[in-house]
Amino acid sequence: MVQLWIASRRQGGNVATEIPDTPASEPRIQERVVLAPCTHHPLQDGERLLVRAGVGTRLRVSGRVAHLLARCTTLRTVEEHARVAAAELPFLFPAPAEACDLLLSLREAGLFISSRELGRAVTGAPDPTPGSASVTVCLVTRDRPDLLERAVESALTGEPTVGDPQFWVVDDSRDAPNAARNRTVTRDAAARHGASLRYFGLEEQEETVARLSGALPRHRAAIEFLLGRRRAEVVSHGRAFNFALLLSFGGTLVQVDDDIVCRGCPPPIPTSGILKWGPQGRKAAFFPSEEERAGHCTGVRANPVAPMGASVGERLATVAGELRRREGLDLCFDGITTDDAQALLGGRGRVAVSACGLYGDPGTASSSWMFGLDGGSRHRLAGDPDRYAAALRHRNSWLGTDSHLFARRHGLLSPLRAMDHRTPLPPHFPILRGEDYLLGSLLPLVDRDAWFLEFPWAVPHLPGPRRQWPADLLERPETISFARLTGLLWEERLSSPLSTDVGHRLGLLGRQIRDAGEADPGAMEEAMSYGIRRLRSGFLRTLERQLRSGEDLPPWYQRDLLRLLEVNRVALEDSRPPVPAEMAEPGADPVAWTLELWREYGAALQAWPEILAAHAETASAG
């Protein structure tokens, strides 16, 4: 007999409830459950009072049971939870059967969320009258007129897009002849297709900056930071993306990079036929030649702009229901966490961003993701020595999913994405790279209802001259960019404020980042060290997990895993102050520069809602 102290709002007080040890029948132990969000309060003799958030159920449990529950924050069957506990806590639960009985009792007491509950939450009645929003498609380019012409043609070809979209070319070219040609490409394509396609180049951008600075003189520095041509020599699309956010505020933004082709291609592996929820790593395939990659970009879907744009802004139940009706998909919650499960039960979630996979250049600065792959993706990378050697040289792959996937976080957004901009999205960081990673990190912090939807198709990402991975790929330890460091340090910072207002939370985040910019240089250096070491230690754990998995890894792949382990372990233990990549201008102090960027970016985040509102007001007045 397991005795738990339980209290609920309905009961109005504490009662001791004895939960009988019922036989662990097969259906019960195979039920998939995840621990509900609970606060823990220490009591006497190592006991804990657990309070389930939002429900009021209170349970007094022993410290031993609390250790068991700490292993139950990912959706698994009761039997799997018990096996994990027995493996990780053999001194407390030498036999999985005892842990299984305890978990079944706690399940009856209301301390878990089941996959059946999650299924009901995301398959409820859809909105009777789905909301409609204006659609703005922005093609962002910089000094690549040939690529822009290809991207514009593909974006305007194919099935009609949702609603009556406004197309823009946002040009950040620094070479005057390229800018002139881009303006011509835009004019000719608009005439040829009869489309609402307009050019937004340097002249239009400078006029916008001047108009906003006049309307908001107290935010002139923030406007210049986000939208001005500061550090023109630093390659980044962040500044141009911010103009796209201005042009689309109040509706849906479909953002198109100039180096893609708007053509949805099926993945090179069979699709799963399921609708997945929760954190899932991207899958990958690798092509030793352009011809082999192109051979997979067949059976082409229509222009993906329309379905991606149509999904954003809608409630999860509405989008999930439509996908299940149209595609015949089954639900799969494997891997969903406690926090994600609670967010689904709340029923407030909506699709804030939709993205897709890509063929060709993966668009990443680092190649470490290749050594974190598992299952079929790892076999496609390392199963053949010649193909593996080619993968370490050529940036020619497929990155994506084999299913429709909902997640609350996204580490790498595709160069074609749609975003709900009826509430303020965080501005992109205007210089350096990794602006997509930073947006994916910050959006969940400022918008609690935001979810990402990734589609299983992929678009060709062909940036022009073929790039290759560096020859010393296996000699480079993991390092960190400004965007990665900022996202890493703030990913948990806004979990406690109760406000759900996006503008208010954006201001809170900006204030915290701005305050961090006033930190003592020694504290900043320590924060940088923490970020890099956390990244490297996580990478080391990934490598070690593969080597200890018991799988029959190819010898050439094992050799490289061991080499990467050595390189990153030496770097992790190095006592010298780290100098992160992309952190400083030539000759500048990386610590001082990072502090300066945090001060400016924090102030810009605080000013951003007013900047958006002022643009909407002054642009319409003009």
Side-chain angles (χ1 to χ4, degrees):
M1 192 78 69
V2 179
Q3 188 177 69
L4 304 166
W5 287 92
I6 303 174
S8 71
R9 291 170 182 162
R10 294 189 301 273
Q11 294 165 330
N14 290 334
V15 294
T17 301
E18 290 186 341
I19 302 175
D21 294 330
T22 54
S25 64
E26 186 69 16
R28 295 179 72 229
I29 66 174
Q30 292 302 323
E31 181 182 32
R32 290 179 301 155
V33 296
V34 63
L35 181 68
C38 296
T39 56
H40 292 233
H41 308 276
L43 301 174
Q44 293 179 336
D45 301 323
E47 291 184 331
R48 300 284 189 275
L49 175 67
L50 306 184
V51 182
R52 178 171 172 178
V55 175
T57 299
R58 289 175 284 168
L59 292 89
R60 191 173 75 194
V61 302
S62 67
R64 179 170 173 263
V65 172
H67 281 296
L68 170 63
L69 291 173
R71 271 72 185 171
C72 300
T73 56
T74 299
L75 188 78
R76 299 187 181 98
T77 67
V78 174
E79 184 178 45
E80 289 168 341
H81 282 305
R83 286 203 300 265
V84 169
E88 296 184 1
L89 304 169
F91 51 95
L92 294 179
F93 298 97
E98 183 186 6
C100 189
D101 288 339
L102 273 171
L103 290 173
L104 289 171
S105 299
L106 294 163
R107 168 74 179 92
E108 295 299 323
L111 212 59
F112 283 88
I113 298 170
S114 72
S115 56
R116 285 180 297 172
E117 294 174 82
L118 297 175
R120 287 194 295 269
V122 301
T123 55
D127 292 331
T129 55
S132 60
S134 61
V135 179
T136 303
V137 181
C138 288
L139 296 100
V140 176
T141 189
R142 173 171 169 164
D143 289 312
R144 299 194 290 194
D146 290 336
L147 297 187
L148 174 66
E149 188 169 10
R150 183 185 66 187
V152 167
E153 190 65 25
S154 67
L156 297 177
T157 303
E159 65 182 83
T161 53
V162 290
D164 185 19
Q166 170 69 61
F167 288 84
W168 292 87
V169 168
V170 181
D171 188 6
D172 195 30
S173 293
R174 308 305 166 96
D175 181 75
N178 285 336
R181 186 178 167 195
N182 286 341
R183 189 180 290 272
T184 300
V185 166
T186 304
R187 183 193 62 228
D188 292 349
R192 186 166 58 253
H193 291 275
S196 176
L197 173 64
R198 300 170 63 183
Y199 180 80
F200 196 82
L202 178 60
E203 181 180 337
E204 293 81 1
Q205 294 162 20
E206 290 181 340
E207 185 278 328
T208 299
V209 170
R211 174 165 43 82
L212 289 173
S213 297
L216 298 171
R218 66 186 180 281
H219 294 318
R220 185 173 285 114
I223 293 167
E224 181 61 30
F225 175 72
L226 291 173
L227 303 170
R229 284 205 169 185
R230 181 190 186 202
R231 298 185 175 94
E233 74 284 356
V234 179
V235 176
S236 173
H237 290 310
R239 173 182 175 273
F241 289 157
N242 286 336
F243 282 111
L245 290 174
L246 288 179
L247 294 170
S248 63
F249 183 50
T252 296
L253 167 63
V254 180
Q255 193 167 287
V256 182
D257 287 8
D258 64 2
D259 54 5
I260 72 159
V261 180
C262 292
R263 187 175 71 225
C265 306
I269 60 176
T271 54
S272 64
I274 58 178
L275 181 58
K276 293 183 180 179
W277 300 79
Q280 306 278 342
R282 276 186 164 182
K283 300 180 185 298
F286 301 86
F287 310 110
S289 68
E290 287 292 313
E291 292 73 22
E292 183 172 334
R293 177 201 58 76
H296 284 279
C297 295
T298 57
V300 174
R301 184 188 180 93
N303 189 328
V305 168
M308 292 180 65
S311 62
V312 298
E314 300 293 341
R315 290 177 57 246
L316 295 181
T318 299
V319 179
E322 175 61 20
L323 287 173
R324 296 188 74 198
R325 182 192 64 79
R326 189 176 68 241
E327 308 279 351
L329 306 176
D330 294 325
L331 291 174
C332 177
F333 296 100
D334 290 351
I336 202 166
T337 64
T338 289
D339 289 342
D340 290 348
Q342 180 68 9
L344 283 179
L345 290 185
R348 292 170 48 90
R350 77 186 195 291
V351 177
V353 180
S354 66
C356 64
L358 53 87
Y359 276 99
D361 194 307
T364 61
S366 169
S367 61
S368 60
W369 57 271
M370 289 196 292
F371 299 95
L373 298 171
D374 55 18
S377 296
R378 184 166 61 210
H379 178 74
R380 288 187 289 274
L381 168 68
D384 177 84
D386 294 332
R387 295 179 71 89
Y388 175 63
L392 296 189
R393 292 195 307 271
H394 305 310
R395 299 169 62 99
N396 194 20
S397 59
W398 164 78
L399 274 178
T401 72
D402 60 351
S403 64
H404 292 77
L405 171 64
F406 287 99
R408 293 182 72 202
R409 293 170 181 81
H410 205 300
L412 178 65
L413 298 178
S414 65
L416 171 63
R417 53 188 179 268
M419 295 178 280
D420 179 19
H421 201 203
R422 291 174 296 179
T423 55
L425 289 163
H428 290 275
F429 195 75
I431 59 174
L432 306 178
R433 303 309 299 262
E435 70 285 335
D436 56 340
Y437 171 85
L438 191 54
L439 175 66
S441 299
L442 298 186
L443 179 57
L445 299 182
V446 300
D447 190 344
R448 286 182 164 181
D449 300 329
W451 283 72
F452 295 86
L453 167 60
E454 181 151 2
F455 290 95
W457 60 75
V459 294
H461 180 223
L462 311 172
R466 289 186 60 178
R467 299 181 295 180
Q468 292 195 343
W469 296 114
D472 59 347
L473 181 73
L474 300 175
E475 306 301 321
R476 297 188 177 195
E478 277 288 89
T479 189
I480 197 166
S481 65
F482 176 87
R484 192 77 179 268
L485 177 66
T486 303
L488 190 66
L489 293 181
W490 267 275
E491 62 185 8
E492 302 295 339
R493 298 290 180 92
L494 281 187
S495 59
S496 56
L498 298 178
S499 171
T500 58
D501 180 78
V502 173
H504 179 62
R505 292 176 68 86
L506 194 58
L508 288 176
L509 178 63
R511 190 174 304 120
Q512 289 188 6
I513 294 179
R514 188 176 184 178
D515 288 346
E518 302 293 343
D520 176 85
M524 179 66 247
E525 187 174 295
E526 184 58 36
M528 291 166 62
S529 298
Y530 165 78
I532 294 177
R533 287 171 182 144
R534 180 175 166 183
L535 190 68
R536 287 173 178 165
S537 62
F539 188 44
L540 285 172
R541 288 193 299 271
T542 297
L543 299 175
E544 289 170 346
R545 195 160 46 240
Q546 290 196 54
L547 289 168
R548 296 174 181 174
S549 66
E551 297 182 31
D552 187 17
L553 301 176
W556 51 87
Y557 184 61
Q558 287 192 53
R559 176 200 63 212
D560 288 348
L561 290 182
L562 290 170
R563 181 60 189 144
L564 284 170
L565 272 171
E566 178 186 359
V567 168
N568 281 275
R569 188 178 293 119
V570 169
L572 183 64
E573 296 172 354
D574 193 338
S575 60
R576 292 174 297 177
V579 179
E582 297 184 351
M583 201 62 78
E585 295 174 315
D589 176 4
V591 171
W593 200 49
T594 301
L595 291 172
E596 177 189 345
L597 293 180
W598 273 351
R599 288 193 298 270
E600 293 185 277
Y601 188 51
L605 286 171
Q606 291 180 278
W608 184 239
E610 290 186 61
I611 295 172
L612 288 171
H615 175 75
E617 181 179 349
T618 58
S620 60

